[in-house]
Amino acid sequence: MTERVYQPESKASEYFLGDWTLCVRTNALARGEARVELENRLVLLLVFFIEHQGEVLGKERILKTIWQGKVVNDDSLAVAISHLRKALGDNSRSPDYIKTIPGVGYQLIARAGVAPSAELKPESVAKQAAESALPAVTDPRAERNGARIFSVLLAFVLMLVIAAIVYLREMAQTPVQDVNATAPTNPALSQLNAENQQRWFQAQQQLAGWSPDELKSAIQTLRDILQQAPAYAPAYAAIADAKIKLLQEQLGQKEHCAEVLGLLNKSVDLLNKTAAVDAQQQPILVTRGNVLFWCARDYAAAEQDYQLALQLNPNDDLAPMQYAQLLLAQGKFAESLLQVEKSRQLNPLNYSVPTVVWIYQMQARDDLALKELERINSAEPGDRYFHISAQRVYARLGREQESLQHWLWLMRDSGYSDADIQSVQAEFTQGGLIAVNRWLLARKDQIDLGQYIPPLSSARYALAAGELEVAMDYLEQAFVARQSPLLWGNVDPAYDPVRNNPRFQAIMQQVQQPEFPPR
């Protein structure tokens, strides 16, 4: 899938922001003799703020504008804002530039606009527009599955489900337009009358908003369509799309999982009766495969969907990446690596994603994991997912000081105070990483530092601290809470200390039992 790049409303080459000057041709901020180079995505984000100076911009709006066509979560935006503040010398607690609006988004409060010297001549507009529309270089998986699964190390499993939403939307989405102006490009729309076609376009706008109210409105709009056109398959898939985004972690609950799976089954069954199965069914199969794997725990059915999706569209780089995670959970390391390699060949941007690091970690091949990690780090900026991988790899290699530095980075990025950081450093000085794990276990913070959130994070901290019975208590709570990273429990070396514990073995047996009878 080709990424759509945000196009600034103005075609200026320079902007002013307080006493800074932003040049989009060189991707740099300048103030006097000071100069700070920015990544392309950060430049686009900053221009978007400047063009909406003083407005309160919701997180969903920013994500859907700057990360067009990709599934990402709030973490990607938070990291980007952190980088901008660092570049500008801004303070989040007493900002001069970017203000956080709790529960809503962000606001550019500094004076900003097009630099007076940057007025464009007509003949230069096309050239500078091309120069300003630069490709992103950030981690594609973190951005796609929020999304592409790679969230793989942070909230990884939730992204398994959400990652294919973009494809779901493309399955049936036509650009919003006057239905009387041109013929719809989606052949399935011919099943709808003009009124319902307009409703369909309205639902797509609502789905793109990502806010709970908009998603609920989209579901109602789609239900109105199905009242008159109950055989319209894309509407069922679109409702599943909205439900997945609304439910998020709650999708793991049995009733929610059954509902979303039923919607996807209905869509697939209806499309099986049409002539356009290949074009429209493939992305739904990827999404259904994710749901079958993640919350229904039906490995066999999920594998069938992934394999059929690969057949229907051999050029889709998402399906093999998703399939690789299922194979990994089954301990099929070689097959999993083959799928990742296939995805990389289809989309070379996937070479920068630390999926292979994760697979090597699951194999307990930490030497290979470190080699791959160093390869990525040699040419890519270290983002949150890199630091999560590095913290784990160095810890397993016994290189505790290096592991600690990556953990401290994650803590700072997650908002821990300077006092907390100092406490962790003091604990490490006294007792190494074991003491740090005990400190985190005692805190029980609802923050993902690469070990997920409680109760699973508590279990992993306890395991690393050698408190095995405490760890088992938390692991049983994590199973009851349906924390999906347990899907990889059979291959994750973090659980080696309790691998032969009957309580752990009972959990793993239940994790691999399908939630629903086969269709």
Side-chain angles (χ1 to χ4, degrees):
M1 181 179 66
T2 301
E3 180 185 358
R4 300 186 296 278
V5 180
Y6 165 63
Q7 298 287 346
E9 295 176 8
S10 69
K11 302 303 179 183
S13 60
E14 289 187 352
Y15 299 84
F16 71 88
L17 177 60
D19 52 0
W20 289 94
T21 297
L22 172 67
C23 179
V24 300
R25 287 180 294 180
T26 60
N27 282 1
L29 282 166
R31 182 174 62 181
E33 296 182 358
R35 176 184 170 87
V36 181
E37 294 187 359
L38 300 174
E39 297 174 9
N40 303 324
R41 184 82 66 185
L42 296 180
V43 172
L44 295 175
L45 176 57
L46 199 50
V47 171
F48 185 57
F49 274 123
I50 292 171
E51 292 186 337
H52 297 84
Q53 190 273 340
E55 293 184 36
V56 176
L57 301 175
K59 293 180 182 179
E60 293 84 1
R61 181 181 176 186
I62 299 173
L63 289 171
K64 301 306 289 184
T65 301
I66 304 302
W67 284 266
Q68 294 181 27
K70 288 184 176 291
V71 178
V72 293
N73 59 16
D74 289 354
D75 286 339
S76 299
L77 177 56
V79 171
I81 295 295
S82 176
H83 288 322
L84 285 181
R85 283 176 171 152
K86 182 177 180 181
L88 293 165
D90 205 15
N91 187 320
S92 61
R93 296 180 180 177
S94 180
D96 294 319
Y97 294 92
I98 301 173
K99 180 180 180 181
T100 300
I101 309 300
V104 179
Y106 301 93
Q107 179 186 26
L108 180 64
I109 58 176
R111 188 175 62 89
V114 175
S117 61
E119 296 298 330
L120 292 178
K121 297 179 181 179
E123 62 270 18
S124 67
V125 170
K127 179 177 182 294
Q128 293 200 11
E131 290 173 339
S132 65
L134 298 172
V137 295
T138 50
D139 181 340
R141 180 183 67 176
E143 293 181 344
R144 187 187 277 189
N145 296 152
R148 265 194 185 254
I149 295 191
F150 296 110
S151 301
V152 103
L153 295 171
L154 174 72
F156 164 77
V157 187
L158 177 60
M159 288 301 128
L160 277 173
V161 178
I162 297 180
I165 289 177
V166 172
Y167 282 74
L168 246 177
R169 193 173 300 123
E170 290 182 350
M171 171 274 297
Q173 185 174 13
T174 303
V176 177
Q177 57 183 309
D178 180 350
V179 294
N180 296 317
T182 58
T185 59
N186 177 7
L189 281 173
S190 61
Q191 301 175 33
L192 304 179
N193 59 29
E195 180 183 3
N196 279 328
Q197 286 185 23
Q198 193 62 56
R199 285 195 178 110
W200 175 252
F201 299 139
Q202 178 185 352
Q204 298 310 303
Q205 287 183 305
Q206 293 165 335
L207 285 170
W210 282 72
S211 73
D213 288 343
E214 287 176 304
L215 292 172
K216 291 176 182 178
S217 295
I219 291 173
Q220 185 57 57
T221 301
L222 293 163
R223 288 185 179 277
D224 291 342
I225 292 173
L226 291 173
Q227 284 290 324
Q228 299 182 35
Y232 188 56
Y236 293 98
I239 292 176
D241 172 344
K243 294 273 187 179
I244 289 171
K245 287 188 279 189
L246 274 171
L247 293 169
Q248 299 191 36
E249 291 89 347
Q250 295 180 49
L251 184 61
Q253 296 178 15
K254 184 174 181 179
E255 292 76 11
H256 291 320
C257 184
E259 179 185 11
V260 171
L261 194 56
L263 289 164
L264 293 168
N265 288 340
K266 181 70 172 181
S267 185
V268 171
D269 290 344
L270 288 170
L271 286 171
N272 279 335
K273 301 175 183 178
T274 71
V277 173
D278 287 12
Q280 297 189 49
Q281 195 175 29
Q282 192 269 351
I284 306 176
L285 289 171
V286 176
T287 300
R288 190 173 70 172
N290 293 336
V291 175
L292 285 166
F293 171 39
W294 183 63
C295 69
R297 304 198 297 263
D298 193 333
Y299 291 17
E303 187 162 16
Q304 288 179 1
D305 276 358
Y306 289 140
Q307 291 181 343
L308 181 54
L310 289 168
Q311 294 174 22
L312 292 177
N313 185 1
N315 294 320
D316 170 28
D317 65 308
L318 174 63
M321 196 68 89
Q322 305 279 39
Y323 185 26
Q325 310 313 311
L326 173 65
L327 292 169
L328 182 60
Q330 297 172 316
K332 299 177 181 179
F333 300 112
E335 294 94 326
S336 182
L337 285 169
L338 283 174
Q339 292 300 322
V340 172
E341 182 60 28
K342 180 186 297 184
S343 179
R344 285 176 162 183
Q345 290 175 0
L346 290 168
N347 184 355
L349 288 177
N350 290 334
Y351 276 97
S352 64
V353 176
T355 318
V356 172
V357 177
W358 196 58
I359 295 174
Y360 284 146
Q361 283 182 281
M362 296 299 103
Q363 280 186 282
R365 294 300 309 274
D366 299 296
D367 54 335
L368 296 178
L370 180 59
K371 184 178 180 180
E372 176 69 9
L373 198 63
E374 291 174 338
R375 181 193 69 78
I376 294 173
N377 192 45
S378 64
E380 293 281 340
D383 63 4
R384 186 174 182 85
Y385 307 100
F386 166 80
H387 288 284
I388 289 172
S389 297
Q391 186 275 318
R392 292 182 175 187
V393 171
Y394 284 125
R396 284 188 50 80
L397 288 171
R399 295 165 62 170
E400 293 201 348
Q401 184 63 52
E402 290 162 288
S403 178
L404 175 69
Q405 294 310 308
H406 292 285
W407 227 341
L408 293 177
W409 186 98
L410 290 165
M411 294 183 72
R412 292 188 185 98
D413 188 62
S414 299
Y416 278 84
S417 68
D418 291 341
D420 288 334
I421 298 296
Q422 292 172 6
S423 294
V424 168
Q425 291 173 318
E427 292 290 339
F428 180 80
T429 300
Q430 293 294 321
L433 288 184
I434 288 178
V436 174
N437 278 283
R438 285 176 177 158
W439 186 89
L440 289 166
L441 175 62
R443 290 279 298 237
K444 296 185 176 60
D445 295 321
Q446 296 289 323
I447 297 175
D448 190 339
L449 295 176
Q451 305 296 333
Y452 315 108
I453 61 173
L456 188 55
S457 60
S458 297
R460 293 171 72 93
Y461 297 144
L463 285 168
E467 300 181 22
L468 303 188
E469 288 305 308
V470 173
M472 281 310 314
D473 291 340
Y474 282 120
L475 282 170
E476 288 173 344
Q477 293 176 32
F479 173 75
V480 172
R482 300 180 65 87
Q483 287 192 270
S484 45
L486 284 174
L487 290 167
W488 289 270
N490 272 325
V491 295
D492 192 336
Y495 305 113
D496 284 352
V498 291
R499 186 73 58 195
N500 296 321
N501 187 305
R503 295 167 67 188
F504 181 78
Q505 292 175 345
I507 291 173
M508 289 298 99
Q509 289 176 0
Q510 294 178 76
V511 163
Q512 297 179 73
Q513 294 299 316
E515 189 72 65
F516 309 107
R519 296 187 73 212

